[in-house]
Amino acid sequence: MSPRPAPADLRDLARRVAADIADYLREEVVVGHAPDTKSSSTDFVTAIDRESERRIVEAITEVRPDDAFMGEEGTDTPGTTGVRWVIDPIDGTTNFVHAHPGFSVSIAAEVDGRVVAGAVADPMHDELFDAALGEGARCNGRPITATAETELSRALVATGFSYDPDRRVRQAEALMTILPRIADIRRMGSAATDLCGVAIGRVDGSFEIGLSHWDLAAGALIAAEAGAVVRWPGEDGMTIAAAPGVAAELIPLIESVGIV
C-alpha cells in the first residue's frame, strides 16, 4: 500500500485548483446564464456549474490520477489511493445567476473517510481560504482565527434556508426564538462562505440544516482549524460552527429550536 499523502500537499492542490476555477467564474458571472432546476423551483444549476466540476476533476486527475471523486453535479468516481475529493463547483448558484456576491468554489480532500484538507475560493471578493488538518486555516495565505467574542447578545450569526417550502416556514419560526438572543442574523446564500466567515471572524457563528457533504466538507474543516467549535451534521442534519467564546450558549440555543 502506498503511503497516504500529507494533508498540506492535498491542501495546496485544492488551493491551486480552486483559484483557477474562481478566475473562470469571475469571467463568466457577468455574462448571465439561464439556470435549470434540481430539487425544487429555487434549486438552480447552470452549465457553468457542470463545466466547473469537469475542470476541477480534470485538473486534480492530472496530478493524482487514481483518487476518488464526489461532486454535486454528478461526479462519482471510485479510486484506489484512499483519497477522495469532495467538490461543490459553485456553492451558491442562486447568487451566481444573479451576479450577487456570496458564491464560492469548495474543494475538500478526504483520506480514509476523514476530511484532512480543503479550499474555498470566493471569486467576487478575491479571497481564497484553505486549511490542512492540524496546520491551521488561512485566507490568501495568511493565518486566520475565529473571533474572541464571549457575549451571545453581541454575536452575529449566519444561516441558510432550505429549498423545501415547508422547512423554510419552520426555519423562519425558529428565528423568532434565536434572533432575540443574538446581535443579528446574516444570510449569504453559500454554506461554504458562511463557514469561512466564522473562520476569519466575519461572523461569530453559523448554522444550517440539511447540507450535503460537498456544501460543508471544506468550510467546516477551515472553521475548525481556525479555532471554531464545529458540530458536524448529527441525526437531525444540523451543521453548526461557533467561535469558542459563544459556542457553549449558541449551540444549545440552536439545537433547542428543533428544526426538522
Side-chain angles (χ1 to χ4, degrees), residues 160-246:
F161 300 113
S162 172
Y163 294 120
D164 177 76
D166 292 336
R167 180 172 276 181
R168 284 187 177 204
V169 171
R170 295 192 294 273
Q171 289 171 318
E173 292 171 346
L175 290 181
M176 296 173 65
T177 299
I178 296 170
L179 195 51
R181 300 280 305 279
I182 64 174
D184 211 341
I185 286 285
R186 291 293 180 268
R187 196 292 202 249
M188 283 296 291
S190 161
T193 301
D194 287 343
L195 289 163
C196 290
V198 177
I200 201 171
R202 225 162 256 150
V203 292
D204 302 294
S206 71
F207 70 98
E208 191 164 349
I209 194 168
L211 295 175
S212 296
H213 192 43
W214 47 71
D215 296 316
L216 63 91
L221 177 70
I222 292 166
E225 287 292 321
V229 178
V230 177
R231 182 189 186 278
W232 292 68
E235 292 183 2
D236 61 359
M238 180 69 76
T239 303
I240 307 173
V246 299

Side-chain angles (χ1 to χ4, degrees), residues 8-20 60 85 105 107-109 117-121 128-131:
D9 292 338
L10 298 174
R11 175 201 62 199
D12 292 346
L13 177 55
R15 174 187 172 87
R16 290 196 301 273
V17 175
D20 288 344
I60 294 173
W85 297 88
V105 182
I107 304 173
V120 174
L128 180 53
F129 299 88
D130 64 51

Side-chain angles (χ1 to χ4, degrees), residues 84-105:
R84 182 174 73 159
W85 297 88
V86 182
I87 301 163
D88 193 341
I90 307 179
D91 187 42
T93 300
T94 300
N95 286 340
F96 176 75
V97 300
H98 288 89
H100 191 287
F103 60 91
S104 61
V105 182

Side-chain angles (χ1 to χ4, degrees), residues 56-104:
I56 292 168
V57 173
E58 181 180 76
I60 294 173
T61 300
E62 287 180 359
V63 180
R64 300 189 53 83
D66 300 316
D67 289 351
F69 291 88
M70 179 178 74
E72 181 179 15
E73 306 312 331
T75 301
D76 186 9
T77 306
T80 60
T81 64
V83 176
R84 182 174 73 159
W85 297 88
V86 182
I87 301 163
D88 193 341
I90 307 179
D91 187 42
T93 300
T94 300
N95 286 340
F96 176 75
V97 300
H98 288 89
H100 191 287
F103 60 91
S104 61

Side-chain angles (χ1 to χ4, degrees), residues 25-43:
L25 294 181
R26 198 178 296 112
E27 294 173 355
E28 292 291 337
V29 71
V30 298
V31 178
H33 302 275
D36 298 324
T37 58
K38 296 189 288 187
S39 65
S40 79
S41 62
T42 57
D43 185 7

